[in-house]
Amino acid sequence: MKKGILPLMATAILFTACKNNLSDDLQQPNNGKSTPKVTTQLTGTYEEQVFSGLNFYNGYAANAYTDAGGVIYLNNTVAIKKISLKGKADPTATLKGELRIYQQGDGYDRDGQIFFIKDSVVKALLNNQVTFDAAAKSKIDNYAPKTGYLYVTPFFYWYQSIKSVPYTFDLKDVASLLTGQDSCWVGVSAWGTHLDQSDWIGKNEPRSFSADFKITADNGTINTNPTYVQAVQFGRVTDATGNNSRTLTQTITVPYNLRNARIVVMSQAWGAGSGGEEYTYRTHNVSWDNSQIGTFSSKAACGPNTMRSYDISSSPRNWCPSEIVAPHTINITGNITAGSSHTVKVDIVNAKADGNNYFKLSVYVAGEKF
């Protein structure tokens, strides 16, 4: 299959799944007229422990995981689990994702992600297959339009006395995925291997990292969380030939009328050689339908409490170990019409994208349905 066809297939799958769930937002009384669904504000705080003691293994090695307890490993470094917060968390609640990464056999700063996919999208992707064989896992793992967030694992090697590090994610933009009629698959990833240095205390540990992840909802708060989110890109940016690229260009079809819409971008550069992209920062130009609507810098100031090694003590740079990659929000002027197609472009100005340097982006559009 030609590579250029894959983004179109992914967009079609996502569009179909969203259209199939239009009934989530309407109730059909006997007279056949659509009326808004009546909801009741939930109260109190709800906590969902999604993963506990989740182990990750060497990304270069043969599969070492075991699927159990509803946890499905896509490979040694990525695991998913299906949940639903409907009736437990209100769509307007303050939602947070609390991740904790534990020191195991890998002491370096690696890339990590948390992501969310509607169950209907997974079913469409797998043609309603109910088993997760190797081919099914590969399809989900390679499905680019996930909605997610990026982080960097701790540099445990230089801080071996620190055994774990917490991360807190603001999940307001995925409230509609977590609290809707459709269940949601939650994914956590921590890429890693293992170290064999004589002074590394975890050198004989087969696990790279381990993790806990929970979602908390404060139902006592009322927020204007987006009622719709659509993924554009999640992962490494490449051109039509599969080579690393500094520019993302993706066309999406939005199935709903949206107002107060915005593009959210997270950018993570990798390239550890001399002058590598992870040691600098770049200007990012963001365009909507071929018109630039915003710009931001990936500049990250690594503070004194950041777990960093001697070779990356300079700051600012592209990202900091043990921290979340910052999301950047660009507002879209005007409303989006249901069924309309739009092109999202992110250009990383003057960046090197070659055999030694590449970029991972998380890009999505969020807004209010009307």
Side-chain angles (χ1 to χ4, degrees):
M1 181 180 292
K2 295 182 178 178
K3 294 181 179 293
I5 296 176
L6 291 176
L8 295 176
M9 291 181 63
T11 301
I13 290 168
L14 186 60
F15 179 71
T16 301
C18 292
K19 293 294 287 185
N20 288 341
N21 282 279
L22 283 169
S23 58
D24 292 358
D25 309 291
L26 299 173
Q27 287 182 327
Q28 298 292 337
N30 292 333
N31 60 10
K33 295 181 180 179
S34 299
T35 58
K37 182 183 292 184
V38 177
T39 60
T40 302
Q41 178 73 32
L42 298 170
T43 59
T45 300
Y46 176 76
E47 179 179 298
E48 178 93 6
Q49 188 71 47
V50 185
F51 297 103
S52 182
L54 179 67
N55 294 318
F56 298 105
Y57 302 91
N58 188 345
Y60 293 126
N63 292 338
Y65 58 80
T66 300
D67 294 344
V71 176
I72 305 296
Y73 280 87
L74 303 184
N75 55 51
N76 278 346
T77 67
V78 185
I80 61 174
K81 184 179 181 181
K82 185 167 67 173
I83 69 167
S84 174
L85 301 188
K86 179 177 170 56
K88 305 171 185 175
D90 197 271
T92 63
T94 298
L95 290 166
K96 294 183 179 180
E98 298 181 42
L99 174 70
R100 182 171 287 273
I101 295 295
Y102 294 88
Q103 179 189 129
Q104 299 297 348
D106 190 331
Y108 282 129
D109 44 350
R110 312 288 192 182
D111 63 298
Q113 302 91 30
I114 63 170
F115 59 86
F116 307 86
I117 315 177
K118 292 176 69 172
D119 186 43
S120 57
V121 174
V122 172
K123 288 177 178 176
L125 190 65
L126 303 182
N127 294 319
N128 291 315
Q129 178 179 323
V130 295
T131 58
F132 290 87
D133 56 18
K137 292 181 176 184
S138 179
K139 284 182 180 180
I140 299 171
D141 191 31
N142 293 322
Y143 179 69
K146 303 178 179 78
T147 305
Y149 304 85
L150 310 178
Y151 72 94
V152 182
T153 64
F155 212 122
F156 285 123
Y157 180 70
W158 293 101
Y159 298 84
Q160 296 189 34
S161 63
I162 298 177
K163 302 303 180 182
S164 69
V165 171
Y167 303 76
T168 301
F169 298 85
D170 183 348
L171 301 184
K172 65 178 182 296
D173 286 347
V174 295
S176 61
L177 298 180
L178 292 168
T179 63
Q181 292 285 93
D182 200 357
S183 298
C184 182
W185 288 91
V186 180
V188 176
S189 167
W191 196 95
T193 176
H194 69 271
L195 307 182
D196 57 5
Q197 286 94 324
S198 60
D199 56 347
W200 171 235
I201 59 175
K203 63 181 179 178
N204 295 318
E205 169 59 59
R207 297 169 295 175
S208 55
F209 302 99
S210 58
D212 298 331
F213 182 67
K214 67 181 179 180
I215 298 174
T216 59
D218 181 358
N219 291 314
T221 58
I222 300 178
N223 303 289
T224 55
N225 297 334
T227 55
Y228 179 72
V229 62
Q230 182 165 337
V232 178
Q233 168 70 18
F234 192 78
R236 187 185 293 217
V237 180
T238 59
D239 59 22
T241 62
N243 294 317
N244 292 327
S245 176
R246 72 172 207 189
T247 303
L248 169 73
T249 304
Q250 187 67 271
T251 298
I252 61 171
T253 299
V254 181
Y256 297 101
N257 290 322
L258 295 183
R259 60 190 171 199
N260 301 321
R262 57 188 183 268
I263 302 171
V264 179
V265 182
M266 285 147 272
S267 177
Q268 190 183 56
W270 293 96
S274 177
E277 283 294 323
E278 64 189 66
Y279 301 131
T280 186
Y281 51 90
R282 300 292 185 184
T283 296
H284 293 56
N285 293 332
V286 180
S287 297
W288 177 257
D289 291 339
N290 301 314
S291 295
Q292 185 175 319
I293 61 172
T295 186
F296 69 88
S297 172
S298 60
K299 184 177 183 178
C302 300
N305 296 324
T306 302
M307 294 173 65
R308 57 188 185 184
S309 76
Y310 71 92
D311 66 321
I312 56 170
S313 58
S314 61
S315 178
R317 59 195 304 266
N318 182 265
W319 47 255
C320 303
S322 75
E323 291 191 355
I324 293 169
V325 176
H328 301 272
T329 300
I330 309 295
N331 293 325
I332 298 172
T333 302
N335 297 332
I336 298 175
T337 303
S340 59
S341 295
H342 302 275
T343 299
V344 177
K345 181 179 179 181
V346 180
D347 183 50
I348 307 171
V349 182
N350 296 325
K352 292 179 293 187
D354 50 33
N356 298 315
N357 298 273
Y358 63 93
F359 291 84
K360 288 189 174 182
L361 296 183
S362 176
V363 184
Y364 59 81
V365 173
E368 178 188 349
K369 292 187 290 188
F370 71 97

